């Protein structure tokens, strides 16, 4: 019984494909799209899908995902980015991971693809996938799934502007284990291809700084400066 929560902002190019994929999967009890103020047709596309709940929340992934989790009916919450595609057998992998009562959450490995046609930088994309194979603290692009009771026990995503996924993972480890399943989600390489240096810094440098105690608000200022 999985509730899928999709935080979105101006994702009209991808939202229909994600919702079509989810509609074909067994074990998903509901899909909740949480919009952060889109100015394109994202909301209209989402509302056109039967059974999809469309919500709104202040812009920001933590805010949007917490809003989607509130009132969700599933015993498992799956947080999915609009530019991340689940494998068709995702519900089976989730069920297998959570057969162990000591596992409170899990995530997938990533496979980043060139979906914008950049022949020059495309071969470098899979450097971003190495992190998903060794980290104990999954990031948002790994399609994090959490037992609903565990998510609520740790207070959901923290109200911070960056590193909310890393902080949630750290809190979840205090009450149980997080398992990375032997399956991959397909991740759009659009952000890496658009700004390779910035993306590399954000994905690899910022989490390290956060672990050394740099506050998410300081990281946000650095993020905005580099961006």
């Amino acid at each position: 019984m999985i509730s899928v929560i999709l935080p979105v902002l101006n994702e009209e190019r991808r939202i229909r494909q994600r919702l079509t994929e989810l509609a074909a999967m067994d074990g998903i009890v509901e899909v909740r799209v949480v919009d952060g103020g889109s100015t394109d047709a994202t909301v209209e596309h989402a509302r056109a899908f039967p059974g999809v709940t469309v919500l709104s929340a202040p812009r920001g992934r933590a805010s949007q995902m917490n809003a989607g989790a509130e009132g969700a009916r599933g015993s498992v919450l799956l947080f999915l980015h609009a530019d991340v595609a689940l494998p068709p057998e995702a519900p089976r992998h989730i069920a297998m991971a959570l057969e162990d009562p000591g596992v409170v959450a899990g995530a997938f490995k990533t496979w980043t693809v060139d979906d914008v046609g950049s022949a020059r930088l495309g071969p470098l994309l899979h450097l971003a996938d190495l992190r998903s194979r060794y980290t104990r603290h999954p990031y948002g692009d790994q399609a994090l799934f959490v037992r609903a009771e565990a998510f609520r026990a740790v207070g959901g995503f923290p109200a911070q502007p960056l590193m909310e996924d890393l902080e949630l993972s750290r809190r979840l480890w205090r009450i149980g284990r997080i398992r990375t399943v032997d399956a991959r989600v397909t991740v759009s390489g659009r952000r890496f291809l658009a700004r390779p240096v910035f993306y590399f810094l954000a994905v690899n440098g910022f989490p390290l700084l956060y672990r050394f105690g740099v506050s998410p608000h300081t990281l946000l200022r650095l993020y905005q400066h580099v961006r």
Side-chain angles (χ1 to χ4, degrees):
M1 299 292 287
I2 301 168
S3 290
V4 178
I5 297 163
L6 268 160
V8 295
L9 180 68
N10 294 331
E11 292 287 1
E12 65 179 3
R13 293 182 55 194
R14 292 176 170 83
I15 188 65
R16 286 181 293 187
Q17 181 63 33
R18 291 293 86 79
L19 295 178
T20 299
E21 294 164 355
L22 292 170
M25 294 182 188
D26 295 327
I28 294 177
V29 67
E30 63 179 343
V31 177
R32 299 165 68 84
V33 174
V34 189
D35 183 65
S38 294
T39 56
D40 63 4
T42 299
V43 171
E44 288 78 2
H45 290 332
R47 285 178 175 157
F49 276 76
V52 172
T53 300
V54 180
L55 307 168
S56 61
R59 179 175 175 175
R61 281 216 171 106
S63 169
Q64 291 172 242
M65 291 187 291
N66 282 338
E70 185 175 354
R73 294 183 287 120
S75 57
V76 178
L77 306 176
L78 169 60
F79 299 96
L80 182 68
H81 293 181
D83 59 357
V84 175
L86 293 169
E89 67 279 8
R92 178 174 63 84
H93 285 289
I94 293 171
M96 290 173 61
L98 297 179
E99 284 180 352
D100 183 342
V103 174
V104 296
F108 293 78
K109 299 173 184 176
T110 63
W111 184 251
T112 308
V113 297
D114 176 7
D115 56 351
V116 298
S118 175
R120 181 172 64 90
L121 295 173
L124 299 177
L125 282 173
H126 298 309
L127 292 175
D129 299 321
L130 296 176
R131 164 182 50 81
S132 72
R133 284 155 175 74
Y134 66 76
T135 183
R136 296 175 71 246
H137 299 90
Y139 293 5
D141 61 359
Q142 291 180 245
L144 178 68
F145 55 91
V146 189
R147 294 186 194 271
E149 58 185 16
F151 180 81
R152 292 167 184 136
V154 300
F157 285 97
Q160 58 189 60
L162 286 177
M163 302 293 119
E164 74 286 338
D165 46 5
L166 178 57
E167 181 59 33
L168 176 67
S169 295
R170 291 169 66 172
R171 295 180 183 183
L172 288 169
W173 267 110
R174 296 170 189 161
I175 64 171
R177 298 193 304 278
I178 301 176
R179 177 169 294 168
T180 301
V181 304
D182 190 22
R184 304 184 304 194
V185 291
T186 302
V187 181
S188 168
R190 58 177 174 164
R191 293 185 174 85
F192 177 89
L193 295 170
R195 298 185 301 276
V197 175
F198 166 73
Y199 186 86
F200 182 83
L201 174 63
V203 169
N204 296 283
F206 282 16
L208 184 61
L209 291 173
Y210 184 73
R211 290 190 179 102
F212 278 105
V214 178
S215 77
H217 296 282
T218 299
L219 291 175
L220 178 62
R221 290 195 294 270
L222 290 172
Y223 179 96
Q224 292 170 333
H225 175 72
V226 174
R227 188 171 186 178

